[in-house]
Amino acid sequence: MERIILVRYGEIILKGLNRPIFEDVLVRNIKRALDGCGSFDIRKSQATIYIEPEQEYVDEIITRLKKVFGVVFIVVAYKIEKSMEAVRNGIVPCLGDQLRTARTFKVEAKRSDKKFHLKSPQICKETGGYVLDAFPHLKVDVHNPDVTVYVEIRDQNAFLHTGRIKAAGGLPTGTGGRGMLLLSGGIDSPVAGYLIGRRGVELEAVHFFSYPYTSERAKDKVLKLASITGQYMGGMKVHIVPFTDIQLAIRDKCPEEHLTLVMRRFMMQISERIARKRNCGALVTGESLGQVASQTLAALAVTNEATTLPVFRPLIGMDKDDIVAIARQIDTFETSILPYEDCCTVFTPKHPTTKPILEKIQKSQALLDVEPLIQAAVDGVETITL
Ligand code: ATP
Ligand code: MG
């Protein structure tokens, strides 16, 4: 029996007249994600994308589809003829493996072809009878069954399956504009990138690198994080910014308690330059209110003032535990906790200000040749495409 894959999307359905645009982008992204999975037919109909693959690629396709934003659920269904006869004949070959080891089951029917001669309750009843004929050990349990048998009567065919697999959800990459993620080697920023990417934003990343204070291994770690996060968005470009000269200049000339915030303002300013060049309309950071001295409300205001681009901070109201849970789910956690130093940790003051006054920080920053430092950093960017 031939398995086909049905892709269900959620919110896109609410997009009214724009819906076809979102659907087309999703189909395009799926095609890209399935590159190398043999040849397949793909079409959309009735708020579902149908993929008819070569059978040996089904499992690989499912793995990849789970990481495509905009795909909410995946159903692997057996395609059969649109008749109760075909449903009866399909039970054992299609669903036998699951039903044999189950103790209880129920049947759900969906009939989007309203011309089909039976209504849903009758389809359920008859199918339930076929299941019990084939597997007399089973009992019906409509509340908490081990297996649910779904019978879907659609326009061309009927389908049999045992339920849906949850995928990444969100909106298709590219439907939400472009953003620049400030990606460190920590736990937070990959999660921030994932959450904003999930809203359809196509991301590039900028990483501030202070060689030799931070090592090549720290850079590799960041690239690894970018490639894991980028899997959901069809890849990610990373702009590596040489940051050592700026950090040394700050250390030499600014009051110690201002080091972190002056540094963070430089990060914003340089990220904005690169973002504008790369046509990105927002910055994205992993900041979370109150997590560290540079993330108090007053400190964030000082950092924010350094850029005129909108800054998205999707973790702002989240506890560390919640962030870690997402990091584990998206597979960045184990990489994030590798013990390589970050540029922020190398030059950390003993007593950073938690209630900074903007004018004072601006004055400290003005002790430096700000513009040439920014320009040199931007000129020294190395871009890596993952
Ligand atoms: P993370 O876990 O993401 O490193 P954090 O809790 O360590 O965050 P900070 O080090 O203060 O917090 O950084 C706050 C945010 O600033 C990060 O989430 C990231 O967006 C950005 N950032 C920090 N360091 C770098 C860096 N070296 N390169 C690029 N962005 C950075
Ligand atoms: Mg950090």
Side-chain angles (χ1 to χ4, degrees):
M1 288 278 174
E2 191 190 338
R3 288 192 292 172
I4 83 158
I5 297 165
L6 285 61
V7 170
R8 302 275 163 77
Y9 37 88
E11 251 175 90
I12 294 179
I13 292 168
L14 309 174
K15 295 293 175 195
L17 291 178
N18 286 330
R19 177 169 152 184
I21 299 173
F22 283 79
E23 289 173 335
D24 289 346
V25 174
L26 182 57
V27 169
R28 185 198 69 194
N29 292 352
I30 289 175
K31 282 186 188 162
R32 276 192 199 156
L34 300 190
D35 188 36
C37 293
S39 64
F40 51 86
D41 265 7
I42 180 165
R43 68 189 165 89
K44 52 178 186 169
S45 161
Q46 298 175 316
T48 301
I49 294 168
Y50 291 76
I51 303 171
E52 305 209 21
E54 295 173 37
Q55 294 301 296
E56 69 263 39
Y57 290 106
V58 170
D59 294 330
E60 175 64 18
I61 289 177
I62 295 164
T63 307
R64 297 207 195 172
L65 284 175
K66 281 186 193 165
K67 291 190 176 171
V68 176
F69 286 140
V71 176
V72 179
F73 292 109
I74 305 160
V75 172
V76 185
Y78 288 87
K79 181 169 136 184
I80 57 173
E81 266 175 38
K82 218 161 60 169
S83 73
M84 291 314 288
E85 183 65 21
V87 171
R88 177 204 285 278
N89 292 335
I91 298 289
V92 174
C94 303
L95 312 175
D97 285 350
Q98 280 121 304
L99 290 172
R100 220 164 273 130
T101 52
R103 282 166 308 157
T104 57
F105 81 104
K106 74 170 175 180
V107 181
E108 287 204 8
K110 204 171 136 200
R111 190 181 60 131
S112 46
D113 171 10
K114 298 296 174 201
K115 289 194 263 25
F116 191 70
H117 68 286
L118 295 182
K119 294 211 167 97
S120 299
Q122 288 168 287
I123 298 171
C124 284
K125 198 164 163 234
E126 293 210 7
T127 307
Y130 305 154
V131 172
L132 288 170
D133 286 346
F135 300 99
H137 75 281
L138 286 173
K139 295 215 163 12
V140 175
D141 178 349
V142 290
H143 300 296
N144 198 14
D146 293 340
V147 173
T148 303
V149 173
Y150 292 86
V151 183
E152 299 197 23
I153 310 289
R154 290 184 165 241
D155 50 358
Q156 312 276 344
N157 287 93
F159 296 96
L160 282 178
H161 64 88
T162 54
R164 55 198 199 174
I165 303 165
K166 202 168 167 356
L171 296 170
T173 302
T175 58
R178 290 169 50 76
M180 187 62 73
L181 169 67
L182 280 73
L183 182 64
S184 71
I187 296 170
D188 302 332
S189 42
V191 173
Y194 169 83
L195 291 175
I196 294 299
R198 197 162 177 253
R199 298 309 298 164
V201 178
E202 194 176 340
L203 291 176
E204 295 191 2
V206 49
H207 176 68
F208 296 91
F209 185 54
S210 296
Y211 192 79
Y213 299 93
T214 54
S215 65
E216 281 297 326
R217 285 198 306 182
K219 180 158 113 186
D220 291 344
K221 170 181 167 182
V222 169
L223 294 178
K224 174 110 190 277
L225 289 171
S227 84
I228 299 173
T229 317
Q231 280 178 7
Y232 292 86
M233 307 165 212
M236 195 185 272
K237 269 191 168 50
V238 184
H239 306 280
I240 308 277
V241 182
F243 206 46
T244 319
D245 291 348
I246 291 178
Q247 290 206 291
L248 293 175
I250 298 172
R251 187 191 64 186
D252 293 343
K253 299 219 172 105
C254 299
E256 190 189 303
E257 68 273 21
H258 293 173
L259 294 188
T260 310
L261 284 177
V262 172
M263 179 189 78
R264 296 207 52 79
R265 287 175 59 87
F266 270 107
M267 284 186 173
M268 290 301 185
Q269 289 161 330
I270 294 166
S271 299
E272 169 164 352
R273 294 279 172 100
I274 300 170
R276 290 194 189 281
K277 267 202 203 171
R278 297 293 310 155
N279 215 2
C280 295
L283 303 181
V284 180
T285 76
E287 290 159 312
S288 166
L289 193 57
Q291 200 189 75
V292 287
S294 58
Q295 295 173 26
T296 62
L297 191 149
L300 288 172
V302 167
T303 306
N304 214 58
E305 198 270 344
T307 175
T308 55
L309 280 178
V311 182
F312 294 157
R313 300 179 171 90
L315 313 185
I316 197 73
M318 289 170 70
D319 292 350
K320 196 77 188 187
D321 290 349
D322 307 332
I323 300 168
V324 166
I326 301 175
R328 286 188 192 281
Q329 178 208 321
I330 64 173
D331 246 6
T332 51
F333 184 75
E334 295 300 329
T335 305
S336 288
I337 59 174
L338 294 174
Y340 311 129
E341 60 303 307
D342 181 58
C343 67
C344 300
T345 42
V346 177
F347 299 90
T348 310
K350 276 192 213 71
H351 302 289
T353 37
T354 53
K355 292 188 189 131
I357 293 163
L358 177 62
E359 290 70 24
K360 288 193 181 169
I361 305 291
Q362 284 171 324
K363 254 194 190 156
S364 291
Q365 191 176 15
L367 297 171
L368 309 173
D369 290 331
V370 175
E371 182 52 37
L373 283 170
I374 291 179
Q375 196 53 51
V378 172
D379 291 343
V381 164
E382 175 200 3
T383 298
I384 297 166
T385 304
L386 297 167

